[in-house]
Amino acid sequence: MNEDRHSPFRDAGTDRSTAREVPDTPQTRSPAYKLAFADEDFLCRDELRPVRLQLELLKPELMMGEREITSTIVMFGGARIPEPSQKHTARTQTLADLSEYYDEAREFARLMTEKSKLSGCRENVIVTGGGPGVMEAGNRGAEDAGGCSIGLNIVLPHEQAPNAYVTPDLSFNFHYFAIRKMHFLMRARAITVFPGGFGTMDELFEALTLIQTGRMDRVPFLLFGRAFWEKVINWDALADAGTISDEDLDLFRFVDTAQEAMELIESWGVAAPRTDIPGR
């Protein structure tokens, strides 16, 4: 964190330290005496939810701002997809076969981070969910290139540590899914989606909805693995039913390799946000 201060007032950190050194009395032992901002039990009260939401938005925003990170490349994808050398451990043959996308994710992140390094790792920074599988591959590829990458973890009942390839001071943890999703997309210059399950589907459709409805600028939106995505989602059936428009099918592209993705991102062009929704 940036510790430079331009205020004549005594800073909160100093007062927090001072408050810990007060004499031990019934009054100072009381929860009421704790400084509000240093009282974890107080901050976890239901009534403080708006404050916690604000803090989760603000902390990563400040820390990424101090690193002067202006744009990111989002990588969504399944936590269960193993690296090829471990595909024998996969629960299903399909998961084992999808391990090729671990390597494609790693290579894509490496290529994109080589580009990011030209800006001093301020632009086109890889951001993942910070976990295993495709997320690990993304952070690992950035490390292969000698650059930095972001991990946006979420607390789960079975929570694991962030994968070992996230840049440590860009490894964040969240309680609120909604705020985590905002950080995924606030700086997004491109969105890539690899095969995955419920979480990946959630991220895919939320981001597509923001673009479809004009709430977000159109950015390169790439689905890795045409065969997978066309098998699990009948895109044409949605358009035929009229629940989406034919034009909505143009919001994304299918790719199968990292090189193909890089070329599409470079040639994508600029498009303004929608001002209406076709077909409605």
Side-chain angles (χ1 to χ4, degrees):
M1 287 287 197
N2 185 352
E3 297 297 337
D4 292 339
R5 300 184 75 249
H6 303 285
S7 171
F9 294 115
R10 184 178 170 90
D11 67 274
T14 300
D15 269 4
R16 181 182 58 185
S17 298
T18 301
R20 292 173 180 158
E21 305 302 323
V22 298
D24 182 25
T25 71
Q27 290 76 24
T28 61
R29 287 196 297 271
S30 169
Y33 185 78
K34 290 182 180 179
L35 289 166
F37 61 81
D39 186 342
E40 292 186 2
D41 290 336
F42 174 69
L43 289 175
C44 287
R45 287 176 57 151
D46 284 350
E47 298 91 339
L48 271 290
R49 182 175 290 117
V51 174
R52 294 195 299 273
L53 285 162
Q54 184 178 15
L55 290 174
E56 286 210 342
L57 182 64
L58 192 57
K59 180 181 177 180
E61 178 73 5
L62 289 174
M63 296 186 77
M64 282 191 265
E66 287 162 6
R67 288 285 294 255
E68 299 181 5
I69 294 173
T70 60
S71 63
T72 56
I73 305 296
V74 179
M75 295 182 68
F76 294 134
R80 304 184 189 198
I81 294 177
E83 63 175 300
S85 67
Q86 298 298 313
K87 67 180 182 179
H88 63 280
T89 66
R91 188 173 61 85
T92 67
Q93 184 58 49
T94 297
L95 273 178
D97 294 341
L98 288 173
S99 66
E100 67 178 288
Y101 288 107
Y102 183 104
D103 276 352
E104 292 300 336
R106 182 176 176 181
E107 175 64 4
F108 172 75
R110 185 190 70 79
L111 292 171
M112 188 56 70
T113 303
E114 292 286 358
K115 179 177 179 179
S116 175
K117 287 168 64 180
L118 299 177
S119 67
C121 289
R122 295 182 177 89
E123 299 177 5
N124 301 306
V125 178
I126 293 294
V127 57
T128 80
V134 167
M135 296 173 280
E136 175 187 285
N139 298 118
R140 188 174 183 180
E143 185 176 272
D144 291 340
C148 68
S149 67
I150 302 163
L152 305 180
N153 282 81
I154 186 82
V155 178
L156 300 172
H158 54 277
E159 178 69 4
Q160 73 290 325
N163 72 66
Y165 304 102
V166 180
T167 300
D169 62 351
L170 292 172
S171 182
F172 302 103
N173 203 14
F174 291 86
H175 173 66
Y176 295 107
F177 268 99
I179 301 300
R180 177 176 179 255
K181 288 176 179 177
M182 286 190 67
H183 280 294
F184 268 123
L185 300 179
M186 284 167 65
R187 293 175 170 83
R189 184 168 289 174
I191 298 169
T192 62
V193 190
F194 291 77
F198 286 167
T200 302
M201 300 284 184
D202 175 52
E203 292 157 344
L204 160 65
F205 283 114
E206 183 147 18
L208 266 182
T209 300
L210 289 170
I211 294 172
Q212 178 201 44
T213 57
R215 296 292 299 175
M216 178 179 172
D217 289 347
R218 187 175 178 189
V219 299
F221 203 115
L222 310 179
L223 306 187
F224 272 78
R226 177 188 287 270
F228 174 85
W229 289 112
E230 290 189 334
K231 181 178 181 180
V232 300
I233 300 171
N234 192 333
W235 304 94
D236 290 332
L238 292 172
D240 291 344
T243 55
I244 65 172
S245 67
D246 291 336
E247 291 90 338
D248 291 332
L249 298 177
D250 192 47
L251 296 177
F252 58 88
R253 300 283 189 276
F254 295 108
V255 297
D256 285 302
T257 68
Q259 190 58 52
E260 192 180 354
M262 293 294 293
E263 291 169 2
L264 262 176
I265 289 172
E266 291 293 336
S267 62
W268 189 269
V270 178
R274 286 179 165 183
T275 56
D276 58 11
I277 300 177
R280 179 176 292 185

